[in-house]
Amino acid sequence: MKKMAIVGAQWGDEGKGKIVNYFSKDFEWIVRFSGGSNAGHTIYYKDKKYVNHLLPSIMPNSNSKGFLGAGMVLDLEKLVEELSILESDFPDISSKFYIDLEAFLVLPWHKEEDEIIESMRKKPIGTTRRGIGPSYTDKVSREGIKFYYLFDESLLMNRLEDIYYLKSSYYGNKLKTSISEVYEFLIKARNRLEKLKVNYASAIEMGEVFRSTSVLFEGAQGVLLDLDFGTYPFVTSSSCMAHGVSSVGFSTFELDDVYGVLKAYTTRVGEGPFPTEIFGEEAEKIRRLGNEYGATTGRPRRVGWLDLPALRYAKIRSGLTGLVITKSDVLNGFDQIKVCTNYEIKGKIKDTPSSSYDFFVAKPVYKELKGWKNTSDINFLKYLSFIEEQTQINVDYISYGPKTEEMCSKNHLILNIDR
Ligand code: GDP
Ligand code: IMO
Ligand code: MG
């Protein structure tokens, strides 16, 4: 039974939600394995837009079910909010979602800490302020709250007291939420989840189920925001690569396909290096045409040309087996398109960054290609062939609009090209 992962090949917001949603009809399970509500995955269903922050991008009217894995950090306020939005259009949909008991929680304190630390940093990261860094920090320093604590109230209270004791010694009176407020908030959210009939399970219990059926793993963020291999410290705090499926008990060797999703250009939200970034009128034009404003925070996204060295890096780091290109329609009508083919690093030309350091010192080397009128234009096919030649990986699917059905395989595109 097929196992596939879809991950971001750039700095996030590549259109993963849409692509997962497109494939989801062929899969029994859609599994989120990392990140939290910093993610914003946009999908359309019957012309209505939904933005999933925590919920896997299942197709609401299909039989597929969603699993929120142990590698995630869950903000229960956001989770209940998202489920309530879906419930109003699809009653009882919550019972299609399963939460791993080992997942960690984002507490109200974590969101306060994210604000405090960002405002104190000399060089802010530009986080989403969703408490992601502080929640993963607590996990690693062994102060985290696991989802299953919610079902043992005295354990939960004890742990909150211990954690607050530590936190208040770092933060003094800067943290505004009291222990009892956090406790009551968590119990209330747990009761709401139970009422909605959300399911709880562990990857151990789900192991047999997942192995005997089809599973689509939905990555969050993008390879260049990965904690280990992204443009550190301007990264998120979790694994953004296919390897993250290990938190659901899988190895990457069990994946039939790992698709990297990329835009026909590049965007980034937040601070940090971005070698192909462009400014001024051209940047504004792409931002406007691509509606490049964050799905989670509404911040304008920084924009730039396609970066092939970064894509080669993402291919190797995340073991990509194929590519899906999105937003090709945004560049329709451009006379010329620039593509970065190499980096000049300390006077030497490089194809592929050898470490994340290279992104900080790279000067992009560009090639200009002819633009296209639409995806049936031969110049668009040439653009795809150029990417394939340069990166030695196939572009298997093309997305040319935000709606789920605005998508085709490359073979289909070739048959319909205007010659
Ligand atoms: P994700 O985080 O990777 O799921 O991506 P986001 O949802 O944050 O951002 C992608 C944005 O591009 C969303 O507004 C999508 O609706 C939109 N989108 C996805 N694919 C396409 C496409 O091929 N063309 C256009 N014009 N928009 C797209
Ligand atoms: P999806 O899944 C784009 C960025 C933030 C910031 C950095 C750290 O929708 O592609 P964090 O709040 O995680 O501590 O912020 O990471 N970031 C994203 N950028 N898409 C995302 O998710 C992102 N999630 C985090 O802007 O630069
Ligand atoms: Mg997004």
Side-chain angles (χ1 to χ4, degrees), residues 11-17 38-42 51-53 221 263 269 293-296 301:
W11 276 281
D13 298 333
E14 300 89 348
K16 298 174 293 293
N38 48 350
H41 295 181
T42 314
V51 181
N52 296 322
H53 299 287
Q221 290 81 47
K263 282 178 182 160
V269 217
Y293 294 88
T296 297
R301 295 180 183 136

Side-chain angles (χ1 to χ4, degrees), residues 161-407:
E161 281 169 355
D162 292 351
I163 293 163
Y164 189 71
Y165 177 77
L166 258 183
K167 286 196 187 299
S168 53
S169 63
Y170 308 145
Y171 289 104
N173 58 5
K174 282 192 178 135
L175 295 180
K176 301 294 174 220
T177 320
S178 67
I179 300 176
S180 59
E181 283 169 331
V182 172
Y183 176 82
E184 272 156 34
F185 157 74
L186 292 177
I187 296 299
K188 213 168 139 196
R190 179 204 67 188
N191 293 345
R192 181 86 183 109
L193 291 177
E194 294 211 305
K195 214 164 174 191
L196 287 168
K197 298 201 168 55
V198 173
N199 306 279
Y200 316 124
S202 74
I204 297 243
E205 289 166 320
M206 300 304 290
E208 283 292 304
V209 177
F210 287 155
R211 281 193 165 68
S212 62
T213 182
S214 49
V215 184
L216 172 48
F217 294 96
E218 174 173 359
Q221 290 81 47
V223 172
L224 298 167
L225 285 173
D226 180 79
L227 174 62
D228 291 305
F229 299 118
T231 48
Y232 191 92
F234 301 99
V235 292
T236 190
S237 300
S238 59
S239 167
C240 306
M241 307 193 294
H243 307 71
V245 301
S246 63
S247 69
V248 193
F250 277 82
S251 137
T252 47
F253 294 112
E254 294 173 272
L255 300 175
D256 300 293
D257 297 301
V258 180
Y259 282 122
V261 184
L262 72 145
K263 282 178 182 160
Y265 47 95
T266 310
T267 64
R268 169 165 207 169
V269 217
E271 303 305 317
F274 182 176
T276 63
E277 183 168 16
I278 52 175
F279 303 91
E281 247 172 59
E282 205 156 38
E284 202 38 62
K285 183 176 170 190
I286 296 178
R287 188 174 300 113
R288 181 169 43 80
L289 293 172
N291 192 23
E292 294 298 355
Y293 294 88
T296 297
T297 59
R299 288 177 290 176
R301 295 180 183 136
R302 298 157 66 191
V303 298
W305 297 115
L306 184 61
D307 182 337
L308 296 177
L311 187 56
R312 295 185 192 105
Y313 181 87
K315 172 191 155 187
I316 298 168
R317 288 290 194 204
S318 198
L320 305 180
T321 61
L323 297 175
V324 179
I325 195 165
T326 62
K327 299 202 131 176
S328 53
D329 53 303
V330 173
L331 300 183
N332 284 354
F334 277 57
D335 290 336
Q336 297 285 323
I337 311 276
K338 273 174 142 184
V339 185
C340 168
T341 53
N342 301 84
Y343 285 165
E344 186 193 318
I345 293 170
K346 296 183 178 163
K348 289 205 177 110
I349 298 294
K350 261 192 183 178
D351 290 342
T352 309
S354 26
S355 76
S356 53
Y357 171 77
D358 286 353
F359 293 101
F360 288 80
V361 290
K363 287 192 194 129
V365 178
Y366 287 109
K367 186 172 166 71
E368 288 213 9
L369 300 180
K370 275 196 185 143
W372 52 86
K373 288 197 282 301
N374 51 47
T375 40
S376 313
D377 185 332
I378 187 87
N379 287 340
F380 179 59
L381 187 59
K382 285 184 183 166
Y383 188 67
L384 299 183
S385 304
F386 185 72
I387 296 171
E388 292 181 333
E389 243 171 62
Q390 288 274 323
T391 57
Q392 293 295 298
I393 179 165
N394 288 337
V395 181
D396 292 311
Y397 290 89
I398 293 99
S399 164
Y400 48 83
K403 305 280 172 63
T404 312
E405 60 282 2
E406 290 172 310
M407 168 113 168

Side-chain angles (χ1 to χ4, degrees), residues 35-68:
S37 63
N38 48 350
H41 295 181
T42 314
I43 63 168
Y44 281 82
Y45 182 70
K46 293 196 174 156
D47 286 343
K48 186 165 172 188
K49 177 174 161 174
Y50 298 88
V51 181
N52 296 322
H53 299 287
L54 290 162
L55 296 176
S57 303
I58 66 169
M59 186 72 96
N61 66 336
S62 73
N63 288 328
S64 61
K65 294 182 277 293
F67 189 74
L68 288 77

